[in-house]
Each structure stands twice: as C-alpha cells, then as structure tokens.
C-alpha cells in the first residue's frame, strides 16, 4: 500500500513538473509579430501597375493620384502621412534637397515613351504632338531626338493623343499603354498607326547605358521606416519578378483599370514589356540615376539613396 502511494505521488510530481515546464516554454515563446499598417501614395499609369504586389497585403492602403501636385507636397513634409510614395525620380530628388524626408529605395519604371503615327512617315517633316515640355517626357524627347523637329506641345498626354486621332498632328509622343490604346482606337476609325520610335532605346544609344531606358519613377520610403515597410517592398519586388499574363490580368481586374489609370486590362497586359517596369534597388542604379538627373541639371543629393 505504501509503495503504491509513493508511486502515485511520484506520478503526480512528474505531471506537475511537466505542466510547469510546458508553461515555462509557452511563456518564453515570442509573441506573434505585429503587422503595422502601411500607406502608399502613387501616380496612376505604369507606376500604379508596378506596385500591385502590395495591393493584397494585410493593412496596406494605396491612394492613386493623377498629377504631381500632391506627390510634391507630401514628399516635402517632415512628418507626412504616407510611408511610401512613388514619384518621378527627379521630383523626389529635388524635394529631398529641401526636406530629406523620403529616401529613394528602388527604381520601378524605366521609361515608357514612344512616338506613334503612320508607318514610313518622315519625322523630319512631320507635325508632332508632344506633352510634358518641362517634365520627364519633354526633357527625354529633347535629349534623344534631332533638333529642328516640328513639335507642338500640349498640356497633357490626352490632348496629344486627341490631336493625333483627329488629324491635327501627324505623329504623337505617347506613353504605354496609352500608345497601344491609341493605335487600336485609330484602327477602329480606319487609320493605321504604329510605334515609330522607342525613346528608351534611343536613350540607351545616346548615353551608352547598359539597359534601355532611364530611371523614370522610383519608390521613396519615409526616413527610418525601412524595417516597417520591408514586407511591402518584398511583395512589390516579387510581383514584378513573377509577372505573367495571369497575375497581371488578375491584379488589374481586381483593382480596376480605371482606378489604375490604364486603358483596359487587355492592353495593359499586352504592353507590360514596353512599360519597362523593373524593380532595381537604388544603390544598384546609382549611376543611372546620376546620369538621369544631369538632364535636369541636378546633382544626386547626398543621402537620397537608401543604403
């Protein structure tokens, strides 16, 4: 009887010890990492398509904007409400010199400008509709094209497109995927247009850059928030690297082509390659960024590129 009681007591003691050990282990197990909300401000068009890898992530909000006014004002704030801002590379560099609030983490788009018009037309004598005279489109155009062309500058790409479609001008400077949408629209009206020149290829010829294109739009992260947004950056990079017809179609349909500023899903997917969307870390694109900023008579601000 005594022996049985001892055995029973030993079992109870062992059970208590195991329970204590399990409690100790569970209390020492680290708590699940809290996901912090991340807010993104991004222009419509190719940049909006480039960040769709962030759209399905938990606690990520994206605001799309047409034009650069809000981008400029938010980049200039010392304590802005956005954790990530996608903006023209030259704009982010210019504003950084004033506030040093957002660091360039990666380049997302590498130029999507093309001349569209009837095949075989002589550009030296043709009338050309262009847009963005003092912005990236105009400065790139003037950098790679011959001098003396007959160019009329319009206030927007939509106006340049309309001038071509209505016959006011013979050729237009347009960005993909709008360029392809213009070709399709013209065909519906019995006109045959095609891409006459790829300005990214001309840029490569003129500058001797390793790849076609220039760092047009970049992803800027609020200073000291690299760790907070790392999961979002990884999602964007993975989406771009793995993009195919199915993933692009799904992403555009879910967000809505109108919301992203794209003509429609089919054309946006078809012109993915021509939109030159590539995720390249800023530190790996430093030379390209420096050469691009020279077009704007700017130097690379110290500290702009995230390390």
């Amino acid at each position: 009887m005594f022996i049985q009681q001892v055995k029973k007591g030993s079992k109870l003691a062992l059970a208590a010890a195991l329970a204590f050990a399990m409690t100790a282990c569970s209390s020492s197990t680290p708590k699940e990492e809290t996901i912090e909300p991340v807010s993104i401000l991004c222009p419509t068009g190719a940049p909006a398509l480039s960040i769709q890898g962030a759209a399905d992530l938990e606690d990520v909000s994206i605001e799309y904007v047409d034009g650069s006014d809000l981008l400029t004002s938010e980049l200039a704030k010392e304590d802005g409400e956005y954790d990530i801002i996608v903006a023209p590379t030259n704009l982010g560099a210019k504003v950084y010199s004033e506030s040093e609030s957002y660091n360039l983490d990666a380049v997302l788009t590498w130029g999507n400008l093309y001349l569209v018009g009837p095949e075989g037309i002589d550009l030296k004598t043709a009338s050309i509709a262009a847009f963005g005279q003092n912005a990236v489109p105009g400065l790139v155009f003037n950098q790679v094209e011959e001098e003396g062309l007959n160019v009329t500058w319009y206030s927007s790409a939509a106006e340049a497109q309309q001038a071509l479609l209505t016959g006011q001008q013979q050729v237009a400077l347009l960005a993909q995927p709008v360029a392809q949408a213009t070709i399709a629209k013209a065909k519906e009206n019995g006109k045959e247009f095609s891409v006459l020149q790829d300005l990214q290829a001309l840029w490569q010829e003129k500058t001797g850059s390793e790849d076609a294109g220039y760092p047009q739009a970049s992803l800027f992260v609020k200073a000291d928030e690299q760790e907070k947004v790392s999961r979002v950056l990884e999602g964007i990079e993975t989406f771009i690297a793995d993009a195919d017809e199915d993933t692009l179609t799904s992403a555009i349909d879910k967000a809505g082509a109108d919301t992203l500023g794209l003509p429609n899903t089919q054309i946006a997917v078809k012109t993915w390659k021509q939109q030159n969307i590539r995720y390249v870390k800023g530190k790996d694109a430093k030379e390209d960024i420096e050469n691009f900023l020279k077009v704007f008579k700017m130097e690379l601000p110290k500290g702009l590129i995230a390390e």
Side-chain angles (χ1 to χ4, degrees), residues 125-156:
T125 58
S127 58
I128 302 173
F131 70 100
Q133 184 173 12
N134 298 311
V136 173
L139 291 171
V140 169
F141 179 90
N142 289 331
Q143 184 79 1
V144 302
E145 296 290 353
E146 296 181 20
E147 294 183 4
L149 297 181
N150 180 18
V151 182
T152 300
W153 293 97
Y154 291 83
S155 59
S156 69

Side-chain angles (χ1 to χ4, degrees), residues 11-27:
K11 289 179 179 178
L12 290 171
L14 179 60
L18 288 171
F20 176 80
M22 291 175 68
T23 302
C25 288
S26 62
S27 63

Side-chain angles (χ1 to χ4, degrees), residues 199-219:
L199 271 64
Q200 292 63 234
L202 294 179
W203 177 278
Q204 184 179 22
E205 291 175 13
K206 182 146 189 176
T207 64
S209 59
E210 186 175 342
D211 298 305
Y214 39 87
Q216 184 171 10
S218 295
L219 186 153

Side-chain angles (χ1 to χ4, degrees), residues 206-252:
K206 182 146 189 176
T207 64
S209 59
E210 186 175 342
D211 298 305
Y214 39 87
Q216 184 171 10
S218 295
L219 186 153
F220 296 87
V221 174
K222 188 185 289 186
D224 302 322
E225 288 197 356
Q226 197 73 22
E227 185 175 345
K228 175 183 175 181
V229 305
S230 59
R231 67 185 179 95
V232 179
L233 303 184
E234 183 178 344
I236 294 172
E237 183 176 12
T238 300
F239 174 82
I240 293 174
D242 297 342
D244 58 25
E245 184 175 349
D246 291 336
T247 60
L248 291 170
T249 298
S250 176
I252 297 169

Side-chain angles (χ1 to χ4, degrees), residues 27 30 36 54 69 72-73 81 83 87 92 122 163 165 183 193 207 222 224 260 278-279 283:
S27 63
E36 294 186 79
D69 290 348
T72 303
S73 62
E81 62 180 287
D83 303 295
D122 186 355
L165 290 173
I183 292 172
F193 290 158
T207 64
K222 188 185 289 186
D224 302 322
L260 300 179
R278 302 195 303 273
Y279 189 103
K283 59 186 179 181

Side-chain angles (χ1 to χ4, degrees), residues 13 15 40 42 47 87 178 181 200 203 219 224 245 263 286 289 300 305:
I40 304 174
C42 180
V178 173
Q200 292 63 234
W203 177 278
L219 186 153
D224 302 322
E245 184 175 349
K286 184 177 180 181
I289 295 170
L300 177 66
I305 297 177

